[in-house]
Amino acid sequence: MKTADARAARVVDFFERLQPADLDRLHEVFAEDARFRDPFNRVQGLPAIRGVFDHMFRSLKAPRFVVLDVVVQGDQCFLTWDFR
């Protein structure tokens, strides 16, 4: 079983390297019924989360995340980031 820190590090790495081709791999870091919230969106479920990121890549030129803080509690992970 992976430690919480190792799982969180994998999530951070995924977000900091996120590219349009990675959208088919969202299931690797999100549960099917995961919740995603940012200043513009509040969605639940993998299809809705994919929609947020798909829209981001279609609407913006070279968007990227720089993770600043990670909080892990059990199977939950909370990230704060700069969006560039």
Side-chain angles (χ1 to χ4, degrees), residues 31-66:
E32 186 65 35
D33 63 344
R35 295 180 187 148
F36 178 85
R37 182 177 180 182
D38 67 12
F40 311 105
N41 304 281
R42 186 176 192 165
V43 298
Q44 182 171 358
L46 205 46
I49 294 169
R50 183 190 172 97
V52 167
F53 291 112
D54 184 55
H55 179 264
M56 176 189 75
F57 282 117
R58 286 185 288 110
S59 303
L60 302 171
K61 183 178 179 179
R64 68 185 187 100
F65 299 94
V66 177

Side-chain angles (χ1 to χ4, degrees), residues 51-82:
V52 167
F53 291 112
D54 184 55
H55 179 264
M56 176 189 75
F57 282 117
R58 286 185 288 110
S59 303
L60 302 171
K61 183 178 179 179
R64 68 185 187 100
F65 299 94
V66 177
V67 176
L68 304 173
D69 294 298
V70 180
V71 177
V72 178
Q73 184 174 10
D75 286 337
Q76 296 184 19
C77 183
F78 177 84
L79 306 178
T80 60
W81 58 61
D82 279 343

Side-chain angles (χ1 to χ4, degrees), residues 22-36:
D22 297 317
L23 297 182
D24 289 336
R25 298 178 39 237
L26 287 175
H27 67 277
E28 293 177 14
V29 295
F30 286 103
E32 186 65 35
D33 63 344
R35 295 180 187 148
F36 178 85

